[in-house]
Amino acid sequence: MGPSLVFMLLYVWSREFANSRVNIMGLFTVQGFYLPWVMLMLNVIFGSALLTDLMGIVVGHVYYFLTVLHPRSGGRNLLRTPLWVHRIASRIPNIGAGVGGAGAGGPVVGGAGAGAPRPAQPANRGTAFTGRSYRLQ
């Protein structure tokens, strides 16, 4: 089921970053929206089974529909993470700190710099993943 999981994650990524440009093996560039279909085509050409990869794309589409598209159209999120998972994750030290984040001991990459004070973190709103993100340049 590993290839199916990879294709599921690839499909969800392609929907979130649809306008990204992805270089395929240094030969050609494809828009992120079409990446799962290009990878499916390449896997079939190289001899992989079509059904397992296609099943991952279908599961990815169902997941994306239930967690993103349906709530945007006025419905509710049918696959919301249970509160007990957030509670367990909040007990893990330095969760969400990332590389160079609070408690990691390193400089902040792409932010104001290592010597600058960090902006105040928001109060915990019931979720464990409240860390800041920084864009690498």
Side-chain angles (χ1 to χ4, degrees), residues 18-37:
N19 294 325
S20 298
R21 304 294 291 171
V22 180
N23 191 349
I24 305 292
M25 297 183 208
L27 298 175
F28 57 94
T29 303
V30 66
Q31 191 175 2
F33 183 80
Y34 300 110
L35 183 61
W37 305 107

Side-chain angles (χ1 to χ4, degrees), residues 3-4 7 39-40 43 48-58:
S4 296
F7 266 87
M39 294 302 292
L40 179 68
N43 279 356
S48 294
L50 175 69
L51 186 61
T52 57
D53 298 343
L54 198 56
M55 184 171 56
I57 290 176
V58 168

Side-chain angles (χ1 to χ4, degrees), residues 64-119:
Y64 189 73
F65 176 80
L66 292 176
T67 59
V68 176
L69 297 179
H70 185 63
R72 280 186 191 168
S73 66
R76 61 188 191 109
N77 187 351
L78 299 174
L79 293 177
R80 204 171 66 188
T81 305
L83 186 59
W84 63 270
V85 174
H86 288 285
R87 287 185 182 146
I88 289 174
S90 68
R91 294 174 192 242
I92 300 172
N94 296 329
I95 189 102
V99 175
V108 177
V109 178
R118 286 189 175 87

